[in-house]
Amino acid sequence: MKKHTMKKLESRGVRIADLVPILYELQKSYIPNLTEHQCEESLSAVLNKRDIQHIILTGIALDELAEKGMLEEPLLSILRKDDGLYGIDEILALGIGTLYGTIGSTNFGYLDKVKPGIIKKLDTTPDNVNTFLDDLVCGLVAAAASRMAHRNRDQKSE
Ligand code: MG
């Protein structure tokens, strides 16, 4: 199912390689000698978790249904215009962010606010409904960052 989740993300324009630089920027001042390879490894590890796969597949499915016009109103219009008062995309994606500890929620909030790299692109593309996808990506990077932070502390205290 990890493969399927990654394929699904790719089909929506998101590759792990797009997320690596965002994660690197987020963590480089906290982890000495951080490498892009470590970032890639952490993102891949996070995608092994079934809960995360489920959340990603659910969010993307809702984006795709909205794109195809296959949801009922008023939900259809809410998703299509990415209504700022609809916070369910954030709530769902925050579930990814916090699976590796509470600091995931601050990382998530930061990414959601600043929208670095591909996150901004996803949020502003007129061609697709990405109401859930941009938040899912924030959640994924936030989870990978939290995982790294906790592992880094573990290694220090060994
Ligand atoms: Mg959104």
Side-chain angles (χ1 to χ4, degrees):
M1 188 143 77
K2 179 186 183 183
K3 239 187 189 163
H4 180 70
T5 306
M6 289 176 72
K7 267 206 180 127
K8 204 74 206 168
L9 281 167
E10 271 169 36
S11 79
R12 304 296 294 174
V14 177
R15 296 166 309 140
I16 294 292
D18 300 317
L19 311 186
V20 167
I22 303 176
L23 179 57
Y24 182 84
E25 283 303 313
L26 198 62
Q27 289 303 100
K28 68 174 183 197
S29 44
Y30 303 105
I31 300 177
N33 309 317
L34 179 67
T35 65
E36 294 209 333
H37 179 74
Q38 284 173 298
C39 295
E40 200 181 323
E41 192 258 60
S42 193
L43 285 160
S44 173
V46 160
L47 277 164
N48 282 326
K49 249 199 196 317
R50 190 172 293 108
D51 287 54
I52 291 184
Q53 295 162 358
H54 286 162
I55 291 173
I56 290 173
L57 293 178
T58 303
I60 291 178
L62 286 165
D63 278 348
E64 287 183 334
L65 286 171
E67 224 166 77
K68 294 175 188 157
M70 288 171 73
L71 293 168
E72 285 182 21
E73 291 293 0
L75 189 59
L76 179 62
S77 298
I78 290 172
L79 293 191
R80 279 192 160 169
K81 66 177 184 225
D82 199 359
D83 189 330
L85 292 181
Y86 178 81
I88 311 304
D89 42 349
E90 281 92 6
I91 291 295
L92 187 72
L94 192 57
I96 303 177
T98 53
L99 273 176
Y100 285 88
T102 48
I103 60 161
S105 59
T106 27
N107 283 328
F108 177 84
Y110 172 80
L111 292 168
D112 190 41
K113 196 89 198 149
V114 177
K115 299 191 194 307
I118 192 176
I119 299 169
K120 179 89 198 162
K121 229 162 78 190
L122 294 171
D123 189 51
T124 53
T125 174
D127 307 327
N128 293 96
V129 176
N130 285 337
T131 296
F132 280 88
L133 188 62
D134 62 330
D135 300 292
L136 295 172
V137 169
C138 290
L140 207 52
V141 176
S146 309
R147 178 181 174 276
M148 283 179 126
H150 281 286
R151 287 173 78 96
N152 186 49
R153 176 68 60 84
D154 289 344
Q155 276 161 9
K156 271 188 195 158
S157 55
E158 263 167 17

PDB file of all heavy atoms in Angstrom, residues 1-26:
ATOM      1  N   MET A   1       0.825  -1.213   0.000  1.00  0.00           N
ATOM      2  CA  MET A   1       0.000   0.000   0.000  1.00  0.00           C
ATOM      3  C   MET A   1       0.861   1.266   0.000  1.00  0.00           C
ATOM      4  O   MET A   1       0.415   2.317  -0.471  1.00  0.00           O
ATOM      5  CB  MET A   1      -0.914   0.023   1.222  1.00  0.00           C
ATOM      6  CG  MET A   1      -1.900   1.174   1.134  1.00  0.00           C
ATOM      7  SD  MET A   1      -3.517   0.816   1.757  1.00  0.00           S
ATOM      8  CE  MET A   1      -3.177   0.931   3.496  1.00  0.00           C
ATOM      9  N   LYS A   2       2.098   1.161   0.519  1.00  0.00           N
ATOM     10  CA  LYS A   2       2.994   2.320   0.461  1.00  0.00           C
ATOM     11  C   LYS A   2       3.231   2.722  -1.006  1.00  0.00           C
ATOM     12  O   LYS A   2       3.183   3.903  -1.355  1.00  0.00           O
ATOM     13  CB  LYS A   2       4.325   1.985   1.135  1.00  0.00           C
ATOM     14  CG  LYS A   2       5.308   3.129   1.103  1.00  0.00           C
ATOM     15  CD  LYS A   2       6.653   2.708   1.648  1.00  0.00           C
ATOM     16  CE  LYS A   2       7.620   3.876   1.676  1.00  0.00           C
ATOM     17  NZ  LYS A   2       8.944   3.462   2.147  1.00  0.00           N
ATOM     18  N   LYS A   3       3.473   1.726  -1.826  1.00  0.00           N
ATOM     19  CA  LYS A   3       3.716   1.980  -3.247  1.00  0.00           C
ATOM     20  C   LYS A   3       2.518   2.691  -3.872  1.00  0.00           C
ATOM     21  O   LYS A   3       2.666   3.650  -4.622  1.00  0.00           O
ATOM     22  CB  LYS A   3       3.937   0.635  -3.967  1.00  0.00           C
ATOM     23  CG  LYS A   3       5.275   0.554  -4.650  1.00  0.00           C
ATOM     24  CD  LYS A   3       5.349  -0.709  -5.465  1.00  0.00           C
ATOM     25  CE  LYS A   3       6.760  -0.899  -5.976  1.00  0.00           C
ATOM     26  NZ  LYS A   3       6.993  -2.273  -6.412  1.00  0.00           N
ATOM     27  N   HIS A   4       1.337   2.181  -3.544  1.00  0.00           N
ATOM     28  CA  HIS A   4       0.114   2.769  -4.083  1.00  0.00           C
ATOM     29  C   HIS A   4      -0.025   4.222  -3.630  1.00  0.00           C
ATOM     30  O   HIS A   4      -0.394   5.099  -4.421  1.00  0.00           O
ATOM     31  CB  HIS A   4      -1.098   1.951  -3.628  1.00  0.00           C
ATOM     32  CG  HIS A   4      -2.392   2.487  -4.134  1.00  0.00           C
ATOM     33  ND1 HIS A   4      -2.761   2.418  -5.455  1.00  0.00           N
ATOM     34  CD2 HIS A   4      -3.389   3.153  -3.500  1.00  0.00           C
ATOM     35  CE1 HIS A   4      -3.941   2.999  -5.606  1.00  0.00           C
ATOM     36  NE2 HIS A   4      -4.338   3.460  -4.443  1.00  0.00           N
ATOM     37  N   THR A   5       0.270   4.470  -2.358  1.00  0.00           N
ATOM     38  CA  THR A   5       0.161   5.835  -1.816  1.00  0.00           C
ATOM     39  C   THR A   5       1.129   6.770  -2.534  1.00  0.00           C
ATOM     40  O   THR A   5       0.777   7.892  -2.904  1.00  0.00           O
ATOM     41  CB  THR A   5       0.469   5.832  -0.300  1.00  0.00           C
ATOM     42  OG1 THR A   5      -0.374   4.873   0.321  1.00  0.00           O
ATOM     43  CG2 THR A   5       0.223   7.193   0.319  1.00  0.00           C
ATOM     44  N   MET A   6       2.361   6.291  -2.750  1.00  0.00           N
ATOM     45  CA  MET A   6       3.348   7.129  -3.432  1.00  0.00           C
ATOM     46  C   MET A   6       2.948   7.395  -4.886  1.00  0.00           C
ATOM     47  O   MET A   6       3.111   8.496  -5.393  1.00  0.00           O
ATOM     48  CB  MET A   6       4.740   6.486  -3.352  1.00  0.00           C
ATOM     49  CG  MET A   6       5.309   6.565  -1.937  1.00  0.00           C
ATOM     50  SD  MET A   6       6.879   5.725  -1.748  1.00  0.00           S
ATOM     51  CE  MET A   6       7.953   6.847  -2.625  1.00  0.00           C
ATOM     52  N   LYS A   7       2.398   6.365  -5.515  1.00  0.00           N
ATOM     53  CA  LYS A   7       1.930   6.524  -6.904  1.00  0.00           C
ATOM     54  C   LYS A   7       0.810   7.546  -6.976  1.00  0.00           C
ATOM     55  O   LYS A   7       0.744   8.371  -7.888  1.00  0.00           O
ATOM     56  CB  LYS A   7       1.417   5.177  -7.426  1.00  0.00           C
ATOM     57  CG  LYS A   7       2.464   4.376  -8.158  1.00  0.00           C
ATOM     58  CD  LYS A   7       1.792   3.427  -9.153  1.00  0.00           C
ATOM     59  CE  LYS A   7       2.852   2.618  -9.884  1.00  0.00           C
ATOM     60  NZ  LYS A   7       2.600   1.180  -9.809  1.00  0.00           N
ATOM     61  N   LYS A   8      -0.072   7.452  -5.989  1.00  0.00           N
ATOM     62  CA  LYS A   8      -1.212   8.374  -5.931  1.00  0.00           C
ATOM     63  C   LYS A   8      -0.714   9.809  -5.755  1.00  0.00           C
ATOM     64  O   LYS A   8      -1.188  10.732  -6.421  1.00  0.00           O
ATOM     65  CB  LYS A   8      -2.107   7.955  -4.757  1.00  0.00           C
ATOM     66  CG  LYS A   8      -3.525   8.377  -4.872  1.00  0.00           C
ATOM     67  CD  LYS A   8      -4.281   7.552  -5.888  1.00  0.00           C
ATOM     68  CE  LYS A   8      -5.428   8.398  -6.414  1.00  0.00           C
ATOM     69  NZ  LYS A   8      -6.060   7.842  -7.588  1.00  0.00           N
ATOM     70  N   LEU A   9       0.246   9.985  -4.862  1.00  0.00           N
ATOM     71  CA  LEU A   9       0.826  11.318  -4.656  1.00  0.00           C
ATOM     72  C   LEU A   9       1.459  11.814  -5.953  1.00  0.00           C
ATOM     73  O   LEU A   9       1.269  12.966  -6.349  1.00  0.00           O
ATOM     74  CB  LEU A   9       1.884  11.278  -3.549  1.00  0.00           C
ATOM     75  CG  LEU A   9       1.369  11.273  -2.102  1.00  0.00           C
ATOM     76  CD1 LEU A   9       2.486  10.915  -1.134  1.00  0.00           C
ATOM     77  CD2 LEU A   9       0.760  12.621  -1.724  1.00  0.00           C
ATOM     78  N   GLU A  10       2.192  10.928  -6.608  1.00  0.00           N
ATOM     79  CA  GLU A  10       2.848  11.306  -7.877  1.00  0.00           C
ATOM     80  C   GLU A  10       1.824  11.699  -8.933  1.00  0.00           C
ATOM     81  O   GLU A  10       2.023  12.652  -9.680  1.00  0.00           O
ATOM     82  CB  GLU A  10       3.723  10.159  -8.391  1.00  0.00           C
ATOM     83  CG  GLU A  10       5.138  10.227  -7.839  1.00  0.00           C
ATOM     84  CD  GLU A  10       5.936   8.959  -8.132  1.00  0.00           C
ATOM     85  OE1 GLU A  10       5.751   8.370  -9.210  1.00  0.00           O
ATOM     86  OE2 GLU A  10       6.727   8.569  -7.253  1.00  0.00           O
ATOM     87  N   SER A  11       0.724  10.951  -8.972  1.00  0.00           N
ATOM     88  CA  SER A  11      -0.308  11.252  -9.974  1.00  0.00           C
ATOM     89  C   SER A  11      -0.926  12.630  -9.727  1.00  0.00           C
ATOM     90  O   SER A  11      -1.499  13.237 -10.618  1.00  0.00           O
ATOM     91  CB  SER A  11      -1.394  10.176  -9.976  1.00  0.00           C
ATOM     92  OG  SER A  11      -2.283  10.374  -8.907  1.00  0.00           O
ATOM     93  N   ARG A  12      -0.785  13.127  -8.476  1.00  0.00           N
ATOM     94  CA  ARG A  12      -1.287  14.463  -8.146  1.00  0.00           C
ATOM     95  C   ARG A  12      -0.164  15.499  -8.165  1.00  0.00           C
ATOM     96  O   ARG A  12      -0.339  16.625  -7.705  1.00  0.00           O
ATOM     97  CB  ARG A  12      -1.963  14.459  -6.761  1.00  0.00           C
ATOM     98  CG  ARG A  12      -3.089  13.451  -6.593  1.00  0.00           C
ATOM     99  CD  ARG A  12      -4.269  13.700  -7.491  1.00  0.00           C
ATOM    100  NE  ARG A  12      -4.963  14.949  -7.168  1.00  0.00           N
ATOM    101  CZ  ARG A  12      -5.961  15.443  -7.877  1.00  0.00           C
ATOM    102  NH1 ARG A  12      -6.391  14.806  -8.945  1.00  0.00           N
ATOM    103  NH2 ARG A  12      -6.526  16.576  -7.529  1.00  0.00           N
ATOM    104  N   GLY A  13       1.006  15.096  -8.666  1.00  0.00           N
ATOM    105  CA  GLY A  13       2.093  16.057  -8.838  1.00  0.00           C
ATOM    106  C   GLY A  13       3.050  16.197  -7.672  1.00  0.00           C
ATOM    107  O   GLY A  13       3.804  17.160  -7.591  1.00  0.00           O
ATOM    108  N   VAL A  14       3.026  15.237  -6.741  1.00  0.00           N
ATOM    109  CA  VAL A  14       3.905  15.329  -5.569  1.00  0.00           C
ATOM    110  C   VAL A  14       4.885  14.157  -5.543  1.00  0.00           C
ATOM    111  O   VAL A  14       4.465  12.996  -5.467  1.00  0.00           O
ATOM    112  CB  VAL A  14       3.083  15.323  -4.251  1.00  0.00           C
ATOM    113  CG1 VAL A  14       4.018  15.354  -3.044  1.00  0.00           C
ATOM    114  CG2 VAL A  14       2.120  16.490  -4.216  1.00  0.00           C
ATOM    115  N   ARG A  15       6.180  14.490  -5.643  1.00  0.00           N
ATOM    116  CA  ARG A  15       7.208  13.458  -5.523  1.00  0.00           C
ATOM    117  C   ARG A  15       7.996  13.692  -4.234  1.00  0.00           C
ATOM    118  O   ARG A  15       8.106  14.828  -3.766  1.00  0.00           O
ATOM    119  CB  ARG A  15       8.167  13.517  -6.710  1.00  0.00           C
ATOM    120  CG  ARG A  15       7.509  13.219  -8.063  1.00  0.00           C
ATOM    121  CD  ARG A  15       8.421  13.633  -9.195  1.00  0.00           C
ATOM    122  NE  ARG A  15       8.867  15.007  -8.993  1.00  0.00           N
ATOM    123  CZ  ARG A  15      10.099  15.450  -9.227  1.00  0.00           C
ATOM    124  NH1 ARG A  15      11.030  14.632  -9.669  1.00  0.00           N
ATOM    125  NH2 ARG A  15      10.419  16.709  -9.022  1.00  0.00           N
ATOM    126  N   ILE A  16       8.543  12.591  -3.701  1.00  0.00           N
ATOM    127  CA  ILE A  16       9.354  12.713  -2.474  1.00  0.00           C
ATOM    128  C   ILE A  16      10.455  13.756  -2.694  1.00  0.00           C
ATOM    129  O   ILE A  16      10.768  14.539  -1.802  1.00  0.00           O
ATOM    130  CB  ILE A  16       9.998  11.346  -2.118  1.00  0.00           C
ATOM    131  CG1 ILE A  16       8.914  10.329  -1.745  1.00  0.00           C
ATOM    132  CG2 ILE A  16      10.991  11.490  -0.963  1.00  0.00           C
ATOM    133  CD1 ILE A  16       8.182  10.607  -0.473  1.00  0.00           C
ATOM    134  N   ALA A  17      11.015  13.762  -3.908  1.00  0.00           N
ATOM    135  CA  ALA A  17      12.111  14.692  -4.213  1.00  0.00           C
ATOM    136  C   ALA A  17      11.684  16.151  -4.050  1.00  0.00           C
ATOM    137  O   ALA A  17      12.521  17.019  -3.778  1.00  0.00           O
ATOM    138  CB  ALA A  17      12.604  14.450  -5.637  1.00  0.00           C
ATOM    139  N   ASP A  18      10.375  16.428  -4.180  1.00  0.00           N
ATOM    140  CA  ASP A  18       9.888  17.800  -3.986  1.00  0.00           C
ATOM    141  C   ASP A  18       9.847  18.169  -2.503  1.00  0.00           C
ATOM    142  O   ASP A  18       9.870  19.344  -2.145  1.00  0.00           O
ATOM    143  CB  ASP A  18       8.455  17.952  -4.533  1.00  0.00           C
ATOM    144  CG  ASP A  18       8.369  17.640  -6.019  1.00  0.00           C
ATOM    145  OD1 ASP A  18       9.262  18.091  -6.758  1.00  0.00           O
ATOM    146  OD2 ASP A  18       7.420  16.947  -6.435  1.00  0.00           O
ATOM    147  N   LEU A  19       9.730  17.137  -1.670  1.00  0.00           N
ATOM    148  CA  LEU A  19       9.552  17.390  -0.236  1.00  0.00           C
ATOM    149  C   LEU A  19      10.884  17.451   0.502  1.00  0.00           C
ATOM    150  O   LEU A  19      10.986  18.062   1.563  1.00  0.00           O
ATOM    151  CB  LEU A  19       8.668  16.299   0.384  1.00  0.00           C
ATOM    152  CG  LEU A  19       7.361  16.002  -0.354  1.00  0.00           C
ATOM    153  CD1 LEU A  19       6.522  15.021   0.435  1.00  0.00           C
ATOM    154  CD2 LEU A  19       6.577  17.279  -0.594  1.00  0.00           C
ATOM    155  N   VAL A  20      11.898  16.799  -0.074  1.00  0.00           N
ATOM    156  CA  VAL A  20      13.215  16.747   0.575  1.00  0.00           C
ATOM    157  C   VAL A  20      13.762  18.150   0.902  1.00  0.00           C
ATOM    158  O   VAL A  20      14.144  18.405   2.044  1.00  0.00           O
ATOM    159  CB  VAL A  20      14.215  15.934  -0.284  1.00  0.00           C
ATOM    160  CG1 VAL A  20      15.646  16.127   0.202  1.00  0.00           C
ATOM    161  CG2 VAL A  20      13.837  14.458  -0.260  1.00  0.00           C
ATOM    162  N   PRO A  21      13.783  19.090  -0.069  1.00  0.00           N
ATOM    163  CA  PRO A  21      14.348  20.404   0.265  1.00  0.00           C
ATOM    164  C   PRO A  21      13.546  21.159   1.329  1.00  0.00           C
ATOM    165  O   PRO A  21      14.119  21.914   2.116  1.00  0.00           O
ATOM    166  CB  PRO A  21      14.315  21.162  -1.076  1.00  0.00           C
ATOM    167  CG  PRO A  21      13.476  20.372  -1.997  1.00  0.00           C
ATOM    168  CD  PRO A  21      13.442  18.970  -1.499  1.00  0.00           C
ATOM    169  N   ILE A  22      12.245  20.934   1.374  1.00  0.00           N
ATOM    170  CA  ILE A  22      11.417  21.609   2.395  1.00  0.00           C
ATOM    171  C   ILE A  22      11.778  21.076   3.782  1.00  0.00           C
ATOM    172  O   ILE A  22      11.980  21.830   4.734  1.00  0.00           O
ATOM    173  CB  ILE A  22       9.911  21.381   2.121  1.00  0.00           C
ATOM    174  CG1 ILE A  22       9.535  21.874   0.721  1.00  0.00           C
ATOM    175  CG2 ILE A  22       9.067  22.071   3.182  1.00  0.00           C
ATOM    176  CD1 ILE A  22       8.092  21.604   0.333  1.00  0.00           C
ATOM    177  N   LEU A  23      11.895  19.758   3.865  1.00  0.00           N
ATOM    178  CA  LEU A  23      12.256  19.134   5.142  1.00  0.00           C
ATOM    179  C   LEU A  23      13.668  19.540   5.565  1.00  0.00           C
ATOM    180  O   LEU A  23      13.925  19.827   6.734  1.00  0.00           O
ATOM    181  CB  LEU A  23      12.150  17.607   5.010  1.00  0.00           C
ATOM    182  CG  LEU A  23      12.509  16.778   6.228  1.00  0.00           C
ATOM    183  CD1 LEU A  23      11.673  17.169   7.440  1.00  0.00           C
ATOM    184  CD2 LEU A  23      12.326  15.283   5.936  1.00  0.00           C
ATOM    185  N   TYR A  24      14.554  19.582   4.598  1.00  0.00           N
ATOM    186  CA  TYR A  24      15.942  19.959   4.877  1.00  0.00           C
ATOM    187  C   TYR A  24      16.006  21.370   5.477  1.00  0.00           C
ATOM    188  O   TYR A  24      16.637  21.588   6.515  1.00  0.00           O
ATOM    189  CB  TYR A  24      16.769  19.881   3.595  1.00  0.00           C
ATOM    190  CG  TYR A  24      18.228  20.210   3.805  1.00  0.00           C
ATOM    191  CD1 TYR A  24      19.117  19.224   4.251  1.00  0.00           C
ATOM    192  CD2 TYR A  24      18.701  21.498   3.587  1.00  0.00           C
ATOM    193  CE1 TYR A  24      20.449  19.529   4.467  1.00  0.00           C
ATOM    194  CE2 TYR A  24      20.035  21.806   3.802  1.00  0.00           C
ATOM    195  CZ  TYR A  24      20.906  20.817   4.238  1.00  0.00           C
ATOM    196  OH  TYR A  24      22.218  21.126   4.465  1.00  0.00           O
ATOM    197  N   GLU A  25      15.311  22.306   4.838  1.00  0.00           N
ATOM    198  CA  GLU A  25      15.296  23.693   5.332  1.00  0.00           C
ATOM    199  C   GLU A  25      14.716  23.785   6.739  1.00  0.00           C
ATOM    200  O   GLU A  25      15.181  24.555   7.570  1.00  0.00           O
ATOM    201  CB  GLU A  25      14.469  24.583   4.386  1.00  0.00           C
ATOM    202  CG  GLU A  25      15.182  24.968   3.112  1.00  0.00           C
ATOM    203  CD  GLU A  25      16.506  25.691   3.363  1.00  0.00           C
ATOM    204  OE1 GLU A  25      16.530  26.612   4.193  1.00  0.00           O
ATOM    205  OE2 GLU A  25      17.512  25.307   2.730  1.00  0.00           O
ATOM    206  N   LEU A  26      13.706  22.953   6.967  1.00  0.00           N
ATOM    207  CA  LEU A  26      13.006  22.977   8.263  1.00  0.00           C
ATOM    208  C   LEU A  26      13.901  22.471   9.397  1.00  0.00           C
ATOM    209  O   LEU A  26      13.823  22.949  10.525  1.00  0.00           O
ATOM    210  CB  LEU A  26      11.756  22.086   8.141  1.00  0.00           C
ATOM    211  CG  LEU A  26      10.632  22.232   9.161  1.00  0.00           C
ATOM    212  CD1 LEU A  26      10.039  23.621   9.115  1.00  0.00           C
ATOM    213  CD2 LEU A  26       9.544  21.192   8.877  1.00  0.00           C
TER     214      LEU A  26
END
